[in-house]
């Protein structure tokens, strides 16, 4: 008899992996996290990192591909730490040895012939090894890297490494290797102790890094989080003001970046039909969290399939296109 499902230990949800909509699916590669970010209680709920063996992950990915999905979204609490807990154990997949390691997994998934999108990539130094792979077919040149802040003092209070200059240097280097790279990130404003100077550093970072897709949250205490004990909470009104300034700045950056795509051709994955056309996503758009590509056409297209389009307009978050002739 299989053991009953335990949501805090089991690596896949009780109901298994859902295929809704049919053309993309999430692939969970590990559970738990070895970090102790001061605002987060996931490690106390889910425990330390437990990676699924790479052959099991690849088997599931292949099953999804065989079922007809077009895009795999790799998720976990800390994707780039994959395999640390099992010391990068070697397993066999289709007769070949593979190490349970982020870079090996990325390379193997990239050969399945579908789009592969990497989420929750904590910016460890070895992430640099994956960047050349993102310029190849299969692995999308898209990285979701939650950065949370850019001020060294705030990152330290969050118990996260790095600072503005180091992150910026890496991003510029990554773009040299993979010019098409789209970076998505999330940030927290109004963390306890965040001064005007810290916040200005964050805005400067946004301007310099020109990230493509950005989410922002105002800090709010979570029961049991270490950050609750930190001094100098930021008043709600100031948090909201900073949030508005942050979003305003990022909106301008996003609009500027999307405008650069006008006149170019892109491959998109068709999501759904609307009264005026179709909704699709390019490699730069993860489902649910990023923008979309609106396609205005009388032509009959098939949701769930790829299509080549020419971009003929852009706003702050979305692109507008028609099928390529
Ligand atoms: S924020 Fe992410 S990296 Fe930090 S402890 Fe939570 S799950 Fe781990």
């Amino acid at each position: 008899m299989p053991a009953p499902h335990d949501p805090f230990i089991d690596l896949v949800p009780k109901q298994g992996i859902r295929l809704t909509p049919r053309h993309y699916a999430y692939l969970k590669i590990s559970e738990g996290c070895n970090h102790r970010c001061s605002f987060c209680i996931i490690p106390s709920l889910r425990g330390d990192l437990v990676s699924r063996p790479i052959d099991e992950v690849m088997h599931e990915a292949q099953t999804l591909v065989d079922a007809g999905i077009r895009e795999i979204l790799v998720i976990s609490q800390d994707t780039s730490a994959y395999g640390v807990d099992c010391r990068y154990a070697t397993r066999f997949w289709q007769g070949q040895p593979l190490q349970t390691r982020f870079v090996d997994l990325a390379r193997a998934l990239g050969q399945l012939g579908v789009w592969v999108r990497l989420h929750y990539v904590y910016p460890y130094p070895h992430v640099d090894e994956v960047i050349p792979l993102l310029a190849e077919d299969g692995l999308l040149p898209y990285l979701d890297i939650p950065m949370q802040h850019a001020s060294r003092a705030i990152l330290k209070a969050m118990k996260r490494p790095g600072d503005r200059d180091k992150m910026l240097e890496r991003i510029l280097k990554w773009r040299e290797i993979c010019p098409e790279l789209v970076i998505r990130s999330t940030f927290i404003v109004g963390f306890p102790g965040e001064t005007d100077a810290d916040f200005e550093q964050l805005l400067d970072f946004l301007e310099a890094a020109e990230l493509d897709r950005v989410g922002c949250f105002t800090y709010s205490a979570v029961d049991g989080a270490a950050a609750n004990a930190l001094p100098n909470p930021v008043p709600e009104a100031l948090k909201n003001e900073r949030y508005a300034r942050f979003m305003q700045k990022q909106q301008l950056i996003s609009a500027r970046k999307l405008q650069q795509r006008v006149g170019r051709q892109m491959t998109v994955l068709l999501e759904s039909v609307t009264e005026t056309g179709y909704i699709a996503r390019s490699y730069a758009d993860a489902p649910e969290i990023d923008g979309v590509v609106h396609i205005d056409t009388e032509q009959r297209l098939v949701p769930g399939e790829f299509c080549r389009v020419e971009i003929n307009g852009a706003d702050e978050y979305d692109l507008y296109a028609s099928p390529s002739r």
Side-chain angles (χ1 to χ4, degrees), residues 27-254:
L27 179 65
K28 189 162 199 172
I29 60 167
S30 62
E31 185 63 274
C33 180
N34 289 346
H35 294 283
R36 295 294 181 265
C37 301
S38 58
F39 54 84
C40 177
I41 57 166
I42 285 175
S44 60
L45 292 178
R46 307 251 168 103
D48 284 341
L49 181 83
V50 179
S51 302
R52 298 177 66 196
I54 193 164
D55 53 327
E56 279 181 24
V57 174
M58 288 306 299
H59 176 75
E60 184 176 320
Q62 185 66 61
T63 305
L64 292 168
V65 173
D66 293 345
I69 67 109
R70 299 282 186 264
E71 178 178 359
I72 290 174
L73 299 106
V74 176
I75 54 164
S76 69
Q77 259 84 46
D78 182 2
T79 295
S80 35
Y82 179 62
V84 168
D85 54 303
C86 61
R87 300 188 181 179
Y88 310 119
T90 298
R91 308 278 288 214
F92 284 82
W93 164 245
Q94 295 185 337
Q96 299 297 318
L98 272 186
Q99 279 192 305
T100 301
R101 185 192 286 272
F102 175 51
V103 181
D104 294 53
L105 178 68
R107 191 177 288 115
L109 289 173
Q111 287 165 12
L112 292 178
V114 296
W115 278 5
V116 176
R117 195 181 293 280
L118 302 172
H119 284 280
Y120 310 116
V121 177
Y122 196 90
Y124 297 103
H126 70 261
V127 171
D128 295 1
E129 292 173 47
V130 169
I131 306 299
L133 303 178
L134 301 178
E136 296 169 11
D137 277 355
L139 275 187
L140 295 176
Y142 176 105
L143 278 184
D144 173 13
I145 303 184
M147 296 179 202
Q148 312 302 4
H149 214 282
S151 146
R152 182 183 292 222
I154 297 301
L155 285 167
K156 195 166 167 219
M158 288 176 165
K159 291 202 166 24
R160 293 178 63 91
D163 65 16
R164 174 192 183 283
D165 293 342
K166 278 191 200 137
M167 200 59 219
L168 200 53
E169 203 179 298
R170 290 180 78 196
I171 290 171
L172 296 179
K173 204 172 92 193
W174 293 347
R175 288 202 178 119
E176 266 176 36
I177 299 166
C178 180
E180 292 298 311
L181 180 64
V182 158
I183 301 175
R184 174 184 175 79
S185 193
T186 45
F187 294 89
I188 297 172
V189 294
F191 192 76
E194 185 190 61
T195 62
D196 285 347
D198 293 319
F199 181 64
E200 290 303 328
Q201 272 189 48
L202 176 57
L203 292 187
D204 285 354
F205 173 76
L206 272 193
E207 190 63 50
E210 292 202 293
L211 303 178
D212 302 83
R213 302 296 194 183
V214 171
C216 181
F217 303 92
T218 53
Y219 172 76
S220 61
V222 178
D223 273 354
N228 298 352
L230 291 173
N232 305 319
V234 176
E236 283 305 312
L238 186 54
K239 279 185 201 170
N240 292 334
E241 188 193 312
R242 286 179 180 168
Y243 173 83
R245 284 181 62 200
F246 180 104
M247 291 309 287
Q248 206 175 18
K249 179 167 273 291
Q250 182 54 34
Q251 212 174 54
L252 293 173
I253 295 167
S254 176

